[in-house]
Amino acid sequence: VSEFSHEHLVQLYETDLMGIVHHANYLRFLEESRVAWATNKGLLDYQKIESASHLAVYGSEVRHIQPAFFGDRLRTFVQAKIKGVKIIFEYKTFCINRDQTKSDVLVLEGRTTHVPLNKELKLIRPPIEMKKIMENEKWIETWLLNL
Amino acid sequence: VSEFSHEHLVQLYETDLMGIVHHANYLRFLEESRVAWATNKGLLDYQKIESASHLAVYGSEVRHIQPAFFGDRLRTFVQAKIKGVKIIFEYKTFCINRDQTKSDVLVLEGRTTHVPLNKELKLIRPPIEMKKIMENEKWIETWLLNL
Amino acid sequence: VSEFSHEHLVQLYETDLMGIVHHANYLRFLEESRVAWATNKGLLDYQKIESASHLAVYGSEVRHIQPAFFGDRLRTFVQAKIKGVKIIFEYKTFCINRDQTKSDVLVLEGRTTHVPLNKELKLIRPPIEMKKIMENEKWIETWLLNL
Amino acid sequence: VSEFSHEHLVQLYETDLMGIVHHANYLRFLEESRVAWATNKGLLDYQKIESASHLAVYGSEVRHIQPAFFGDRLRTFVQAKIKGVKIIFEYKTFCINRDQTKSDVLVLEGRTTHVPLNKELKLIRPPIEMKKIMENEKWIETWLLNL
């Protein structure tokens, strides 16, 4: 379905005393995927971020299906759409090839909603090029099965 | 409504390049409030945590209302209930007394759902003393207005 | 020796899979102590930080003596001096009253060196009021025994 | 000199309100490089880490030369040696190709010292295979110029 995906290798500093990835870190991995997606679409130029608008997080929902461990390769698939001033991202994160097994394990499903803010943290309209790209993205309503 | 609350002073290392608290940190503050709540109720003994069960995060939802800044005092109110094997926490986080003003600002509303796991990360029944305390907690269905 | 100290309660999200505080977090606790010290001395006004100079970290040294655990109360003592354009902080962090024992355990000794930068990240002279306060601070050369 | 290096792409969540990478995160990047080095040498098997010894951080020193920004590619070079029970890593981190310029910028130099601990956090001798590999590593005393 979603063509775009981004991989994150779980670091020691992302685990907690239960030996698994601490749940707050997943929002970081989702941001990483979102930034990679935007870079891939030509929407993000790191070197101009200071002058650019910013997609503030308005809401987030995460459903954890399986824990992830140090050294796991987590691959996150992304879909995005625009709806008025809101930009919505959905994510599925899989653990790839743990224990050399072939089947990937669904680790989480997530959704984040964003609004564009300027540098003074005031709400602005989504930039036109962002709107154009977003409107051409494939979006499947029933993509997330657990959220 | 909820009597219990916990305060967190926003640190420099919790901000990002937008000059505001990075959204992933709020899940940490909610955990902090949850742990403080459990300690307050006598449900958590730090020194026995290794032998104890663990409340794994099953799901989270956060709605961000206002940004928070370095040096802000964030006070989080908590309510909790048990529902089958699931334990549900709801949160309201306010910024207290910014700019010496009297009115507090609602920063976020959140909800996290948990299941008790043992050290091998297997699902277990909620410990009896936890169940007892949870069932006696006040719970207001309509407490969160934005989520 | 040093009168000023600051306490941090170790959070779950600050531990790693070894069950102890991840070492990178100690630099955060030292920053917390430094900020608390500067606030205590009247050098820091959170609400003006945007317009103010910033003490960039030029160097850090940490010696870990004992591990710290979830729920530990870590009390950090601070001494500070100014030396040319450099501002030097030294720290001793103790774990307080673990297992209800009376003796505190030395967790780490640390030293951070800073230079004042303006918002454009250019080196500036230390603000006069900072200089004045720093020069009146007590400083004991041999305070750190392990670094 | 050092053949091994590891790259880290700076994430939004690693910046702070000054718009630069928060200094505590560099210890994380150094750990990342160290883990990548150990994996590269065949010393680390993620899936066996629970049963393995652990290289606890005994000390760290970092000298920050230049700030790093969101989107920067940071490449860290590593050298390692063993000295009694202590294992020493040294690091040089460069920002690669910022603004499409050809010359890399030295961001930091660092050194971390480690001791092997077992799961009960007791000091043990370095595992033999680790010792062997470490003793065959190239080590240049004067590699770090700023620390």
Side-chain angles (χ1 to χ4, degrees), chain D residues 85-115:
Chain D
V85 292
K86 278 185 196 140
I87 288 136
I88 302 168
F89 285 88
E90 290 189 346
Y91 316 85
K92 285 189 187 188
T93 301
F94 294 89
C95 177
I96 304 297
N97 196 29
R98 189 191 287 157
D99 305 319
Q100 277 79 52
T101 54
K102 290 238 181 60
S103 56
D104 300 336
V105 175
L106 181 61
V107 166
L108 71 80
E109 291 186 356
R111 181 185 298 118
T112 58
T113 308
H114 304 258
V115 288

mmCIF file of all heavy atoms in Angstrom, chain D residues 85-115:
data_model
loop_
_atom_site.group_PDB
_atom_site.id
_atom_site.type_symbol
_atom_site.label_atom_id
_atom_site.label_comp_id
_atom_site.label_asym_id
_atom_site.label_seq_id
_atom_site.Cartn_x
_atom_site.Cartn_y
_atom_site.Cartn_z
ATOM 1 N N VAL D 85 41.953 -3.947 33.098
ATOM 2 C CA VAL D 85 40.519 -4.266 32.955
ATOM 3 C C VAL D 85 39.767 -3.165 32.227
ATOM 4 O O VAL D 85 38.570 -3.284 31.982
ATOM 5 C CB VAL D 85 39.824 -4.481 34.322
ATOM 6 C CG1 VAL D 85 40.347 -5.749 34.990
ATOM 7 C CG2 VAL D 85 39.971 -3.269 35.219
ATOM 8 N N LYS D 86 40.480 -2.083 31.893
ATOM 9 C CA LYS D 86 39.773 -0.960 31.289
ATOM 10 C C LYS D 86 39.820 -1.011 29.772
ATOM 11 O O LYS D 86 40.849 -1.341 29.186
ATOM 12 C CB LYS D 86 40.379 0.356 31.766
ATOM 13 C CG LYS D 86 39.833 0.752 33.122
ATOM 14 C CD LYS D 86 40.348 2.106 33.542
ATOM 15 C CE LYS D 86 40.103 2.279 35.039
ATOM 16 N NZ LYS D 86 41.223 2.929 35.721
ATOM 17 N N ILE D 87 38.711 -0.621 29.179
ATOM 18 C CA ILE D 87 38.636 -0.520 27.735
ATOM 19 C C ILE D 87 38.411 0.950 27.398
ATOM 20 O O ILE D 87 37.519 1.587 27.953
ATOM 21 C CB ILE D 87 37.512 -1.416 27.186
ATOM 22 C CG1 ILE D 87 37.966 -2.868 27.317
ATOM 23 C CG2 ILE D 87 37.202 -1.092 25.749
ATOM 24 C CD1 ILE D 87 36.923 -3.767 27.838
ATOM 25 N N ILE D 88 39.236 1.448 26.493
ATOM 26 C CA ILE D 88 39.198 2.878 26.189
ATOM 27 C C ILE D 88 38.821 3.084 24.728
ATOM 28 O O ILE D 88 39.381 2.442 23.843
ATOM 29 C CB ILE D 88 40.561 3.535 26.486
ATOM 30 C CG1 ILE D 88 40.923 3.299 27.960
ATOM 31 C CG2 ILE D 88 40.535 5.031 26.166
ATOM 32 C CD1 ILE D 88 42.362 3.645 28.306
ATOM 33 N N PHE D 89 37.846 3.956 24.514
ATOM 34 C CA PHE D 89 37.469 4.350 23.156
ATOM 35 C C PHE D 89 37.753 5.826 22.969
ATOM 36 O O PHE D 89 37.510 6.623 23.872
ATOM 37 C CB PHE D 89 35.972 4.099 22.918
ATOM 38 C CG PHE D 89 35.591 2.667 22.730
ATOM 39 C CD1 PHE D 89 35.289 1.872 23.830
ATOM 40 C CD2 PHE D 89 35.541 2.100 21.472
ATOM 41 C CE1 PHE D 89 34.926 0.541 23.663
ATOM 42 C CE2 PHE D 89 35.174 0.770 21.294
ATOM 43 C CZ PHE D 89 34.871 -0.018 22.397
ATOM 44 N N GLU D 90 38.255 6.164 21.795
ATOM 45 C CA GLU D 90 38.378 7.570 21.432
ATOM 46 C C GLU D 90 37.590 7.827 20.150
ATOM 47 O O GLU D 90 37.460 6.945 19.301
ATOM 48 C CB GLU D 90 39.853 7.971 21.270
ATOM 49 C CG GLU D 90 40.571 7.984 22.622
ATOM 50 C CD GLU D 90 41.978 8.585 22.556
ATOM 51 O OE1 GLU D 90 42.513 8.748 21.441
ATOM 52 O OE2 GLU D 90 42.535 8.890 23.618
ATOM 53 N N TYR D 91 37.089 9.057 20.037
ATOM 54 C CA TYR D 91 36.170 9.392 18.948
ATOM 55 C C TYR D 91 36.499 10.759 18.358
ATOM 56 O O TYR D 91 36.850 11.692 19.091
ATOM 57 C CB TYR D 91 34.726 9.494 19.468
ATOM 58 C CG TYR D 91 34.307 8.412 20.401
ATOM 59 C CD1 TYR D 91 34.573 8.488 21.766
ATOM 60 C CD2 TYR D 91 33.628 7.287 19.926
ATOM 61 C CE1 TYR D 91 34.178 7.491 22.639
ATOM 62 C CE2 TYR D 91 33.222 6.287 20.797
ATOM 63 C CZ TYR D 91 33.502 6.389 22.148
ATOM 64 O OH TYR D 91 33.108 5.406 23.016
ATOM 65 N N LYS D 92 36.329 10.853 17.043
ATOM 66 C CA LYS D 92 36.278 12.153 16.377
ATOM 67 C C LYS D 92 35.006 12.193 15.556
ATOM 68 O O LYS D 92 34.785 11.323 14.719
ATOM 69 C CB LYS D 92 37.476 12.331 15.439
ATOM 70 C CG LYS D 92 38.770 12.626 16.136
ATOM 71 C CD LYS D 92 39.839 13.013 15.096
ATOM 72 C CE LYS D 92 41.186 13.145 15.782
ATOM 73 N NZ LYS D 92 42.197 13.689 14.858
ATOM 74 N N THR D 93 34.193 13.215 15.789
ATOM 75 C CA THR D 93 32.941 13.339 15.058
ATOM 76 C C THR D 93 33.020 14.536 14.116
ATOM 77 O O THR D 93 33.335 15.650 14.540
ATOM 78 C CB THR D 93 31.766 13.522 16.037
ATOM 79 O OG1 THR D 93 31.713 12.388 16.903
ATOM 80 C CG2 THR D 93 30.450 13.650 15.289
ATOM 81 N N PHE D 94 32.744 14.276 12.849
ATOM 82 C CA PHE D 94 32.759 15.325 11.830
ATOM 83 C C PHE D 94 31.353 15.539 11.277
ATOM 84 O O PHE D 94 30.587 14.587 11.140
ATOM 85 C CB PHE D 94 33.668 14.929 10.655
ATOM 86 C CG PHE D 94 35.110 14.838 11.027
ATOM 87 C CD1 PHE D 94 35.647 13.638 11.512
ATOM 88 C CD2 PHE D 94 35.948 15.943 10.910
ATOM 89 C CE1 PHE D 94 36.986 13.551 11.858
ATOM 90 C CE2 PHE D 94 37.294 15.856 11.258
ATOM 91 C CZ PHE D 94 37.814 14.662 11.740
ATOM 92 N N CYS D 95 31.067 16.776 10.932
ATOM 93 C CA CYS D 95 29.860 17.058 10.155
ATOM 94 C C CYS D 95 30.241 16.986 8.689
ATOM 95 O O CYS D 95 31.171 17.679 8.239
ATOM 96 C CB CYS D 95 29.310 18.432 10.499
ATOM 97 S SG CYS D 95 27.891 18.827 9.486
ATOM 98 N N ILE D 96 29.505 16.145 7.948
ATOM 99 C CA ILE D 96 29.860 15.832 6.569
ATOM 100 C C ILE D 96 29.070 16.701 5.597
ATOM 101 O O ILE D 96 27.841 16.735 5.671
ATOM 102 C CB ILE D 96 29.526 14.351 6.270
ATOM 103 C CG1 ILE D 96 30.233 13.423 7.252
ATOM 104 C CG2 ILE D 96 29.866 13.973 4.830
ATOM 105 C CD1 ILE D 96 31.725 13.471 7.174
ATOM 106 N N ASN D 97 29.763 17.429 4.779
ATOM 107 C CA ASN D 97 29.139 17.966 3.577
ATOM 108 C C ASN D 97 27.970 18.920 3.838
ATOM 109 O O ASN D 97 27.019 18.995 3.080
ATOM 110 C CB ASN D 97 28.637 16.784 2.719
ATOM 111 C CG ASN D 97 28.331 17.184 1.302
ATOM 112 O OD1 ASN D 97 28.927 18.115 0.771
ATOM 113 N ND2 ASN D 97 27.390 16.492 0.710
ATOM 114 N N ARG D 98 28.034 19.673 4.953
ATOM 115 C CA ARG D 98 26.974 20.656 5.227
ATOM 116 C C ARG D 98 27.017 21.740 4.153
ATOM 117 O O ARG D 98 28.089 22.155 3.731
ATOM 118 C CB ARG D 98 27.183 21.258 6.614
ATOM 119 C CG ARG D 98 26.018 22.119 7.088
ATOM 120 C CD ARG D 98 26.394 22.895 8.343
ATOM 121 N NE ARG D 98 26.476 22.046 9.523
ATOM 122 C CZ ARG D 98 27.183 22.355 10.609
ATOM 123 N NH1 ARG D 98 27.886 23.473 10.649
ATOM 124 N NH2 ARG D 98 27.216 21.529 11.641
ATOM 125 N N ASP D 99 25.871 22.218 3.732
ATOM 126 C CA ASP D 99 25.773 23.217 2.669
ATOM 127 C C ASP D 99 26.504 22.783 1.403
ATOM 128 O O ASP D 99 27.060 23.620 0.678
ATOM 129 C CB ASP D 99 26.359 24.571 3.123
ATOM 130 C CG ASP D 99 25.711 25.060 4.396
ATOM 131 O OD1 ASP D 99 24.491 24.919 4.510
ATOM 132 O OD2 ASP D 99 26.431 25.555 5.270
ATOM 133 N N GLN D 100 26.521 21.498 1.162
ATOM 134 C CA GLN D 100 27.193 20.979 -0.038
ATOM 135 C C GLN D 100 28.654 21.409 -0.156
ATOM 136 O O GLN D 100 29.216 21.428 -1.247
ATOM 137 C CB GLN D 100 26.444 21.401 -1.313
ATOM 138 C CG GLN D 100 25.279 20.492 -1.652
ATOM 139 C CD GLN D 100 24.074 20.830 -0.787
ATOM 140 O OE1 GLN D 100 23.643 21.957 -0.698
ATOM 141 N NE2 GLN D 100 23.503 19.819 -0.134
ATOM 142 N N THR D 101 29.259 21.788 0.960
ATOM 143 C CA THR D 101 30.686 22.103 0.888
ATOM 144 C C THR D 101 31.455 20.806 0.969
ATOM 145 O O THR D 101 30.974 19.803 1.455
ATOM 146 C CB THR D 101 31.121 23.014 2.047
ATOM 147 O OG1 THR D 101 30.724 22.385 3.266
ATOM 148 C CG2 THR D 101 30.479 24.369 1.920
ATOM 149 N N LYS D 102 32.683 20.875 0.506
ATOM 150 C CA LYS D 102 33.471 19.650 0.451
ATOM 151 C C LYS D 102 34.205 19.359 1.753
ATOM 152 O O LYS D 102 34.505 18.228 2.073
ATOM 153 C CB LYS D 102 34.491 19.731 -0.707
ATOM 154 C CG LYS D 102 33.830 19.662 -2.079
ATOM 155 C CD LYS D 102 34.362 18.501 -2.915
ATOM 156 C CE LYS D 102 33.694 18.499 -4.279
ATOM 157 N NZ LYS D 102 33.962 19.772 -5.019
ATOM 158 N N SER D 103 34.525 20.409 2.501
ATOM 159 C CA SER D 103 35.349 20.166 3.682
ATOM 160 C C SER D 103 34.473 19.807 4.877
ATOM 161 O O SER D 103 33.441 20.417 5.125
ATOM 162 C CB SER D 103 36.172 21.411 3.995
ATOM 163 O OG SER D 103 35.311 22.517 4.142
ATOM 164 N N ASP D 104 34.904 18.774 5.586
ATOM 165 C CA ASP D 104 34.165 18.339 6.760
ATOM 166 C C ASP D 104 34.594 19.167 7.960
ATOM 167 O O ASP D 104 35.730 19.610 8.049
ATOM 168 C CB ASP D 104 34.446 16.855 7.020
ATOM 169 C CG ASP D 104 34.027 16.017 5.820
ATOM 170 O OD1 ASP D 104 33.155 16.483 5.061
ATOM 171 O OD2 ASP D 104 34.592 14.930 5.640
ATOM 172 N N VAL D 105 33.655 19.346 8.883
ATOM 173 C CA VAL D 105 33.904 20.180 10.060
ATOM 174 C C VAL D 105 34.036 19.276 11.282
ATOM 175 O O VAL D 105 33.176 18.425 11.515
ATOM 176 C CB VAL D 105 32.736 21.164 10.264
ATOM 177 C CG1 VAL D 105 32.912 21.950 11.553
ATOM 178 C CG2 VAL D 105 32.612 22.086 9.057
ATOM 179 N N LEU D 106 35.087 19.485 12.068
ATOM 180 C CA LEU D 106 35.249 18.723 13.298
ATOM 181 C C LEU D 106 34.253 19.234 14.337
ATOM 182 O O LEU D 106 34.280 20.412 14.713
ATOM 183 C CB LEU D 106 36.681 18.855 13.835
ATOM 184 C CG LEU D 106 36.980 18.082 15.123
ATOM 185 C CD1 LEU D 106 36.791 16.586 14.948
ATOM 186 C CD2 LEU D 106 38.397 18.385 15.616
ATOM 187 N N VAL D 107 33.370 18.364 14.776
ATOM 188 C CA VAL D 107 32.326 18.750 15.732
ATOM 189 C C VAL D 107 32.773 18.464 17.159
ATOM 190 O O VAL D 107 32.579 19.277 18.053
ATOM 191 C CB VAL D 107 31.004 18.030 15.395
ATOM 192 C CG1 VAL D 107 30.002 18.136 16.535
ATOM 193 C CG2 VAL D 107 30.422 18.613 14.112
ATOM 194 N N LEU D 108 33.365 17.313 17.375
ATOM 195 C CA LEU D 108 33.832 17.009 18.729
ATOM 196 C C LEU D 108 34.935 15.966 18.722
ATOM 197 O O LEU D 108 35.130 15.234 17.751
ATOM 198 C CB LEU D 108 32.690 16.548 19.642
ATOM 199 C CG LEU D 108 32.057 15.185 19.422
ATOM 200 C CD1 LEU D 108 32.879 14.036 20.016
ATOM 201 C CD2 LEU D 108 30.711 15.179 20.139
ATOM 202 N N GLU D 109 35.643 15.939 19.836
ATOM 203 C CA GLU D 109 36.536 14.834 20.145
ATOM 204 C C GLU D 109 36.094 14.277 21.485
ATOM 205 O O GLU D 109 35.670 15.040 22.371
ATOM 206 C CB GLU D 109 37.996 15.297 20.214
ATOM 207 C CG GLU D 109 38.546 15.687 18.849
ATOM 208 C CD GLU D 109 40.030 16.021 18.861
ATOM 209 O OE1 GLU D 109 40.634 16.023 19.952
ATOM 210 O OE2 GLU D 109 40.569 16.288 17.780
ATOM 211 N N GLY D 110 36.193 12.964 21.634
ATOM 212 C CA GLY D 110 35.712 12.374 22.884
ATOM 213 C C GLY D 110 36.513 11.153 23.272
ATOM 214 O O GLY D 110 37.248 10.567 22.459
ATOM 215 N N ARG D 111 36.367 10.799 24.546
ATOM 216 C CA ARG D 111 37.019 9.595 25.063
ATOM 217 C C ARG D 111 36.089 9.001 26.118
ATOM 218 O O ARG D 111 35.567 9.719 26.962
ATOM 219 C CB ARG D 111 38.368 9.945 25.705
ATOM 220 C CG ARG D 111 39.141 8.730 26.257
ATOM 221 C CD ARG D 111 40.412 9.157 26.976
ATOM 222 N NE ARG D 111 41.337 9.839 26.078
ATOM 223 C CZ ARG D 111 41.746 11.116 26.218
ATOM 224 N NH1 ARG D 111 41.354 11.835 27.238
ATOM 225 N NH2 ARG D 111 42.558 11.647 25.328
ATOM 226 N N THR D 112 35.844 7.697 26.020
ATOM 227 C CA THR D 112 35.085 7.029 27.078
ATOM 228 C C THR D 112 35.889 5.832 27.568
ATOM 229 O O THR D 112 36.571 5.166 26.792
ATOM 230 C CB THR D 112 33.696 6.558 26.593
ATOM 231 O OG1 THR D 112 33.853 5.677 25.471
ATOM 232 C CG2 THR D 112 32.813 7.718 26.188
ATOM 233 N N THR D 113 35.820 5.599 28.880
ATOM 234 C CA THR D 113 36.514 4.483 29.498
ATOM 235 C C THR D 113 35.467 3.544 30.072
ATOM 236 O O THR D 113 34.464 3.993 30.632
ATOM 237 C CB THR D 113 37.435 4.991 30.622
ATOM 238 O OG1 THR D 113 38.253 6.030 30.094
ATOM 239 C CG2 THR D 113 38.300 3.884 31.167
ATOM 240 N N HIS D 114 35.709 2.248 29.902
ATOM 241 C CA HIS D 114 34.690 1.261 30.272
ATOM 242 C C HIS D 114 35.299 0.132 31.083
ATOM 243 O O HIS D 114 36.480 -0.175 30.947
ATOM 244 C CB HIS D 114 34.066 0.663 29.010
ATOM 245 C CG HIS D 114 33.487 1.689 28.094
ATOM 246 N ND1 HIS D 114 32.149 1.946 28.013
ATOM 247 C CD2 HIS D 114 34.085 2.568 27.248
ATOM 248 C CE1 HIS D 114 31.945 2.921 27.158
ATOM 249 N NE2 HIS D 114 33.101 3.317 26.676
ATOM 250 N N VAL D 115 34.444 -0.484 31.881
ATOM 251 C CA VAL D 115 34.827 -1.719 32.564
ATOM 252 C C VAL D 115 33.730 -2.743 32.313
ATOM 253 O O VAL D 115 32.550 -2.408 32.277
ATOM 254 C CB VAL D 115 35.018 -1.504 34.076
ATOM 255 C CG1 VAL D 115 36.290 -0.704 34.348
ATOM 256 C CG2 VAL D 115 33.820 -0.798 34.697
#
